[in-house]
């Protein structure tokens, strides 16, 4: 028999709360934190969505005195039979393509240039770029309609053109794209500036010591690290371009001339509140909701694969 | 392969002076450690050498050319950042190749260099990974590989070990020293860690408030600190500093204060025509390292310092007793057990050759000049 004894391990800690109680506490807490946000979402997003879905199966002319008649899938059948629908989707795609330079290219150039300005001048510069966003869209549209006036308007006089901007299809589309772009540019510059600020300055310093020129540093280091921001802005543009342009379209062109500026949002609004066909408007709303949902999922998946995240 | 000369460099940030009229000559092949507390200007100095910051005044010379106005990319020095600053979107191989890509080296040579440097630093199996898939130690080596890949004139290291755990830091320290020995290049290493400085440096430059406190080999800085700041910065615990006054005792100068009466190892000089001993009555700051103090065992009267033990710290092999001597904290460090207990009165001795004196206002070291006078070195 040995005289050596093994030293015991430190004793285990004392009694714990029963496992079940601890687990329940851990599962309940997160939902309590989420509750206020969930309630707001339910009241302001999910309830209207459910009502729209319900409305899309009814025929109703918005008059409280007239009854809403169930018509099954009839509204959807009519929607796809009408030529407006496909045309408005194409026009919306055109609007998105026209806006992408204003939300991606120009903001990156402006934000990179703004980094060279410092102190009070930088602040004034940022304020100037951001100011259009603070102008109410309808007020901005009113001023633009004077500027675009065919005979005495400043735009025609400055450009030396004679275009009837808001009454010809091509110029009207261009005007809507440029004015919407002018309006959201400040927001995009702000987002890109924030993205640039979020990039650790060590990377640019390291690139400089490694021998990169400022141009190489921008191309090889800054832009790749900015990709999450640019992905976000691209997604916003695709999903929201038609919404951003809505107040301008409504004020300046009313969707015309000859439907040239009727985007998907303007179309569904026009169905419901122009033609008093609530069921058709609701059906269009449901289709666009589903369509944008699919597009959003695809884009999120795509950006997740393309962008790099700074760890 | 470079000599770095810093001539009268100053730099301010708003109202804060980061560097004040600082001059330093770093010889080719040196491992110079810039040491100091946070905010002392050491990182500012390193970034000024790298070309990432322009000095307000003064010059930076690499070998014999003035590079003060040369942008960082043209200076030919490499830098390892505290955060490593590995480009997160590039693989390890492309991170290492970045300096070559910026210089438009052709692809075949680039790949060969990356493979070579990667192999030298044990990164061969990791070349296709992204930085976020690496451990802290691996990231540190990638940052080093990126610096090594283009044979820079000098290596600037900004606290490269501070993000590593204690064990890895010890082994990386040895690897860096070995790398320096093998390459023979100039290394400038910024740290606030005195152990790093003492173990790696061929010379230490100690900074405080944007000014140089002392430049010298590790043993010089430790054994003969030129200011009370240096004395109080180095050592664990650092040197004990006690205000005292010089007085004459039996033909020798003693430092005297409440609980203190210790010979300072200087004979009394009596200027002709005077009866008072020179320097007697002068206020000084007395400095003694904790490990040079010994506890008087027999409880006999006397002893240079007399106080009471307030706290004992067990370091494993050694023990530190924190005492109060006339209201001033004094640490004693020695092999465990020291043989004292908390609240014990104790008497401490120190050989006079380990007694340091500093001027109380300027904090500079007091020494006997060749003419045998105490003076403040400039």
């Amino acid at each position: 028999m040995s005289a050596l004894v093994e030293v015991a391990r430190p004793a285990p800690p004392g009694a714990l709360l029963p496992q079940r109680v601890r687990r329940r506490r851990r599962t309940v807490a997160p939902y309590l934190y989420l509750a206020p946000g969930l309630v707001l979402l339910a009241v302001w997003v999910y309830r209207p969505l459910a009502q729209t879905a319900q409305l899309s199966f009814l025929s109703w002319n918005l008059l409280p005195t007239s009854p809403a008649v169930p018509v099954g899938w009839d509204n959807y059948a009519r929607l796809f039979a009408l030529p407006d629908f496909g045309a408005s989707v194409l026009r919306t795609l055109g609007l998105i393509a026209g806006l992408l330079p204003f939300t991606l290219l120009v903001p990156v150039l402006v934000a990179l240039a703004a980094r060279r300005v410092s102190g009070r001048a930088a602040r004034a510069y940022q304020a100037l770029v951001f100011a259009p966003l603070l102008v109410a869209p309808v007020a901005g549209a009113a001023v633009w309609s004077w500027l675009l006036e065919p005979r005495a308007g400043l735009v025609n006089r400055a450009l030396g053109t004679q275009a009837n901007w808001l009454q010809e299809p091509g110029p009207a589309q261009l005007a809507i794209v440029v004015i919407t772009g002018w309006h959201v540019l400040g927001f995009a510059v702000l987002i890109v500036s924030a993205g640039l600020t979020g990039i650790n300055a060590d990377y640019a310093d390291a690139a400089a010591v490694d021998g990169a020129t400022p141009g190489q540093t921008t191309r090889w280091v800054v832009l790749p690290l900015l990709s999450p921001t640019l992905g976000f802005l691209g997604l916003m543009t695709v999903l929201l371009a038609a919404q951003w342009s809505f107040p301008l379209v409504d004020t300046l062109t009313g969707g015309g001339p000859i439907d040239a500026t009727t985007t998907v949002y303007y179309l569904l609004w026009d169905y419901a509140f122009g033609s008093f066909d609530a069921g058709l408007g609701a059906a269009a709303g449901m289709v666009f909701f589903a369509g944008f949902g699919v597009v959003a999922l695809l884009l999120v998946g795509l950006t997740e694969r393309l962008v790099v995240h700074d760890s | 392969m470079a000599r770095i000369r810093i001539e009268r460099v100053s730099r301010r940030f708003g109202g804060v002076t980061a560097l004040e009229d600082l001059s330093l000559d770093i010889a080719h092949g040196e491992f110079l450690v810039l040491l100091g507390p946070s905010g002392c200007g050491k990182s500012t100095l390193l970034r000024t050498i790298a070309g990432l910051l322009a000095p307000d005044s003064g010059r930076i010379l690499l070998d014999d050319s003035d590079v003060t106005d040369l942008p960082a990319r043209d200076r030919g020095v490499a830098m390892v950042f505290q955060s490593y600053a590995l480009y997160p979107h590039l693989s390890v191989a492309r991170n290492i190749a970045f300096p070559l890509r910026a210089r438009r080296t052709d692809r075949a040579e680039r790949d060969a260099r990356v493979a070579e440097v990667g192999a030298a630093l044990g990164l061969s199996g990791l070349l296709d990974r992204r930085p976020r898939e690496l451990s802290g130690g691996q990231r540190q080596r990638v940052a080093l590989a990126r610096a090594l890949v283009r044979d820079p004139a000098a290596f600037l290291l900004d606290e490269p070990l501070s993000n590593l755990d204690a064990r890895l830091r010890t082994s990386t320290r040895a690897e860096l020293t070995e790398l320096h020995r093998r390459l023979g290049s100039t290394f400038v290493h910024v740290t606030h860690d005195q152990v790093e400085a003492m173990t790696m440096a061929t010379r230490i430059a100690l900074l405080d408030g944007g000014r140089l406190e002392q430049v010298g080999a590790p043993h010089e800085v430790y054994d003969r600190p030129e200011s009370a700041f240096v004395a109080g910065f180095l050592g664990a615990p650092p040197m004990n500093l006690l205000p005292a006054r010089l007085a004459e005792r039996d033909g020798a100068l003693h430092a005297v204060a409440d609980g203190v009466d210790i010979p300072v190892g200087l004979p009394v000089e009596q200027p002709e025509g005077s009866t008072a001993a020179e320097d007697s009555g002068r206020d000084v700051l007395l400095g003694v390292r904790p490990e040079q103090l010994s506890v008087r065992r027999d409880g006999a009267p006397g002893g240079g310092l007399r106080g009471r033990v307030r706290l004992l710290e067990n370091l494993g092999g050694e023990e530190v007793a924190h005492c109060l001597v006339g209201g001033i904290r004094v640490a004693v460090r020695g092999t465990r057990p020291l043989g004292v207990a908390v609240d014990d009165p104790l008497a401490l001795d120190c050989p006079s050759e380990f007694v340091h004196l500093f001027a109380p206002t300027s904090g500079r070291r007091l020494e006997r000049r060749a003419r045998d006078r105490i003076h403040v070195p400039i």
Side-chain angles (χ1 to χ4, degrees):
Chain A
M1 212 170 104
S2 172
L4 294 176
V5 181
E6 286 189 18
V7 177
R9 281 179 190 281
L16 295 169
L17 275 174
Q19 189 105 25
R20 217 153 36 89
V21 178
R22 282 192 302 150
R23 193 176 300 156
R24 193 176 307 153
R25 275 192 198 173
R26 216 177 295 156
T27 43
V28 170
Y31 295 102
L32 286 176
Y33 284 112
L34 285 174
L38 286 177
V39 168
L40 287 176
L41 262 182
V43 171
W44 297 111
V45 176
Y46 297 133
R47 195 186 56 132
L49 186 66
Q51 286 175 328
T52 307
Q54 191 190 8
L55 197 56
S56 71
F57 294 103
L58 302 173
S59 174
W60 184 42
N61 62 6
L62 288 174
L63 284 177
T65 50
S66 69
V69 184
V71 291
W73 292 91
D74 193 36
N75 286 328
Y76 290 92
R78 275 200 298 142
L79 182 69
F80 287 113
L82 289 168
D84 312 350
F85 179 72
S88 74
V89 170
L90 283 181
R91 274 185 228 109
T92 307
L93 290 178
L95 176 71
I96 291 167
L99 277 179
L100 280 172
F102 290 94
T103 54
L104 293 178
L105 186 65
V106 180
V108 168
L109 296 178
V110 172
L112 285 174
R115 283 206 300 186
R116 304 198 187 163
V117 188
S118 57
R120 199 173 296 179
R123 241 160 283 129
Y125 193 47
Q126 280 172 344
L128 279 177
V129 174
F130 192 66
L133 195 70
L134 302 177
V135 178
V138 176
V143 175
W144 276 103
S145 70
W146 292 329
L147 295 176
L148 293 171
E149 210 276 324
R151 240 162 259 142
L154 204 64
V155 174
N156 267 346
R157 275 202 276 170
L159 297 176
T161 50
Q162 305 229 311
N164 193 348
W165 288 101
L166 300 173
Q167 269 73 48
E168 294 172 45
Q173 285 169 336
L174 183 67
I176 291 297
V177 166
V178 171
I179 297 171
T180 310
W182 163 81
H183 203 252
V184 297
L185 181 66
F187 168 73
V189 170
L190 196 74
I191 298 285
V192 173
S193 297
L196 285 177
T197 313
I199 297 174
N200 188 342
D202 275 359
Y203 294 129
D205 283 348
V209 176
D210 282 345
T213 62
Q216 288 172 332
T217 306
T218 303
R219 285 200 309 281
W220 295 348
V221 178
V222 175
L223 286 181
L225 293 178
L226 199 60
S227 59
T229 305
L230 299 181
F232 166 76
L233 276 174
L235 193 67
M236 295 281 283
T237 309
V238 171
L239 298 181
L240 299 179
Q243 281 189 33
W244 288 335
S245 68
F246 180 87
L248 299 169
V249 170
D250 190 39
T251 319
L252 290 174
T253 65
I258 340 166
D259 287 345
T261 55
T262 300
T263 63
V264 290
Y265 277 96
Y266 197 80
L267 181 76
L268 75 88
W269 179 85
D270 190 51
Y271 279 160
F273 301 101
S275 314
F276 299 104
D277 194 342
L280 190 63
M286 289 313 291
V287 170
F288 295 138
F289 167 73
F292 278 119
V294 171
V295 170
L297 279 180
L298 289 177
L299 283 178
V300 168
L302 189 70
T303 45
E304 277 302 311
R305 273 205 291 150
L306 290 183
V307 306
V308 283
H309 294 282
D310 189 357
S311 46
Chain B
M1 304 283 161
R3 171 185 181 197
I4 303 168
R5 270 181 295 167
I6 296 141
E7 288 183 353
R8 311 204 59 176
V9 163
S10 295
R11 170 76 204 201
R12 298 175 65 79
F13 293 104
V16 183
T17 304
L19 295 173
E20 194 177 336
D21 201 16
L22 190 144
S23 297
L24 183 62
D25 195 340
I26 305 167
H28 161 65
E30 252 192 301
F31 197 124
L32 182 101
V33 171
L34 294 173
L35 179 66
S38 33
C40 72
K42 55 192 192 298
S43 284
T44 306
L45 181 58
L46 196 76
R47 297 174 76 84
T48 312
I49 299 173
L52 298 172
L53 275 178
D56 294 336
S57 61
R59 299 200 302 166
I60 308 279
L61 289 97
L62 268 180
D63 288 325
D64 284 318
S65 58
D66 185 342
V67 297
T68 317
D69 298 318
L70 210 60
R73 66 173 181 275
D74 296 328
R75 293 200 184 185
V77 297
M79 184 159 168
V80 174
F81 292 75
Q82 185 174 10
S83 64
Y84 310 140
L86 301 180
Y87 311 119
H89 56 296
L90 301 180
S91 66
V92 168
R94 287 169 66 89
N95 260 287
I96 299 174
F98 193 95
L100 302 177
R101 186 175 158 210
R103 282 172 178 69
R104 310 233 174 265
T105 314
D106 67 62
R107 183 170 287 270
E109 190 190 337
R110 220 194 283 171
D111 292 346
R113 283 292 292 157
V114 169
E116 185 187 330
V117 173
L121 288 172
L123 295 166
S124 297
L126 306 171
L127 290 176
D128 292 327
R129 298 224 191 142
R130 290 284 173 84
R132 68 159 159 258
E133 297 162 340
L134 303 177
S135 71
Q138 290 167 337
R139 288 179 199 194
Q140 201 263 351
R141 273 183 290 152
V142 176
L144 207 56
R146 191 172 65 185
L148 273 170
V149 77
R150 59 190 165 107
D151 293 321
F155 290 89
L156 309 177
L157 314 170
D158 190 1
E159 309 220 17
L161 308 182
S162 61
N163 288 332
L164 304 179
D165 64 53
R167 185 180 298 189
L168 201 53
R169 202 178 307 164
T170 311
S171 61
T172 313
R173 228 160 49 203
E175 281 171 27
L176 271 180
T177 312
E178 165 62 23
L179 187 71
H180 171 249
R181 206 181 52 75
R182 212 171 58 220
L183 296 173
S185 319
T186 313
F187 278 55
V188 183
H189 179 117
V190 160
T191 185
H192 61 265
D193 184 294
Q194 51 169 311
V195 179
E196 267 175 43
M198 294 299 287
T199 53
M200 298 165 82
T202 56
R203 266 201 317 162
I204 295 176
L206 232 145
L207 278 82
D208 183 41
R211 287 156 43 140
L212 277 179
E213 286 285 326
Q214 185 171 1
V215 185
H219 68 89
E220 292 169 351
V221 178
Y222 190 84
D223 294 341
R224 198 182 147 276
E226 285 177 3
S227 74
F229 174 82
V230 176
F233 191 81
L234 292 174
M239 187 182 281
N240 299 304
L241 294 167
L242 304 100
R245 176 167 290 182
L246 294 180
E248 188 193 339
R249 295 263 191 283
D250 308 326
L253 273 180
H254 280 224
V256 179
D258 184 14
V260 179
D261 191 336
I262 195 165
V264 298
L266 299 172
V268 173
E269 291 278 308
Q270 207 152 331
E272 285 181 30
S274 163
T275 52
E278 196 177 15
D279 296 321
S280 186
R282 176 178 181 148
D283 283 327
V284 294
L285 213 51
L286 170 73
V288 190
R289 290 227 175 261
E291 64 270 27
Q292 305 296 358
L293 284 168
S294 53
V295 180
R296 214 173 245 233
R297 297 252 158 228
D298 45 15
L305 275 63
R306 287 173 309 283
R308 196 171 280 276
V309 180
R310 309 299 313 197
L311 177 74
L312 280 172
E313 274 181 339
N314 179 358
L315 303 182
E318 293 187 313
E319 197 166 28
V320 176
H322 295 276
C323 318
L324 273 185
V325 173
I328 308 287
R329 285 181 75 108
V330 170
V332 187
R333 184 171 148 178
T335 314
R336 192 166 67 96
L338 275 176
V340 295
V342 173
D343 281 339
D344 275 1
L346 88 175
L348 300 163
D349 278 322
C350 176
S352 60
E353 65 263 36
F354 294 119
V355 171
H356 307 261
L357 295 179
F358 302 97
T361 44
S362 72
R364 300 304 296 176
R365 182 183 185 84
L366 295 171
E367 260 187 3
R368 187 134 299 200
R369 211 207 299 261
R371 276 177 61 246
D372 261 357
R373 293 265 163 74
I374 285 180
H375 84 290
V376 183
I378 300 145

